[in-house]
Amino acid sequence: MKITKNVNGNQLGLALEGRLDTTTAPELEKVLQSSLDGVEELVFDMAELEYLSSAGLRILLGAQKTMKKQGSMKVVHVNETIMEIFEVTGFADILTIEN
């Protein structure tokens, strides 16, 4: 998986490309742990994300909990495949999703 980081003041954008699964989730977790200090808005761009596993969902849920305390989080450019995963797991009701 490729993670492209874009910092703009107190906004952090993370573009995810490829597969977010058991193998790649720790990499995203490290990026989040080292990047969320002072961030008030976290944006995940999932335009190029092909697959999302339960390990990836766990990371998103953790990020959502952190951001509720210090600002907001949204997910943008969600493709059909990933949206279906969000709907089946109930994450569509938890996350702020914008296309």
Side-chain angles (χ1 to χ4, degrees):
M1 180 178 71
K2 182 180 173 195
I3 302 170
T4 306
K5 197 168 148 180
N6 181 11
V7 179
N8 185 1
N10 57 8
Q11 181 189 51
L12 172 63
L14 296 175
L16 308 179
E17 192 177 323
R19 297 172 59 90
L20 179 51
D21 55 24
T22 310
T23 310
T24 58
E27 181 186 346
L28 178 57
E29 195 167 30
K30 278 184 195 162
V31 169
L32 287 168
Q33 285 173 347
S34 66
S35 306
L36 288 183
D37 277 351
V39 170
E40 291 175 17
E41 185 181 7
L42 175 60
V43 180
F44 284 101
D45 185 335
M46 298 193 170
E48 301 296 322
L49 192 65
E50 298 162 7
Y51 177 79
L52 179 64
S53 76
S54 58
L57 289 170
R58 185 180 57 77
I59 303 296
L60 291 176
L61 190 60
Q64 173 83 354
K65 284 181 179 172
T66 300
M67 291 312 298
K68 272 196 178 206
K69 294 175 192 157
Q70 63 190 63
S72 65
M73 177 180 122
K74 66 182 175 184
V75 181
V76 298
H77 305 127
V78 179
N79 64 43
E80 244 178 76
T81 307
I82 303 302
M83 193 61 201
E84 196 173 302
I85 293 167
F86 285 157
E87 286 169 358
V88 169
T89 58
F91 272 66
D93 300 326
I94 299 169
L95 300 175
T96 302
I97 301 171
E98 296 176 6
N99 281 338

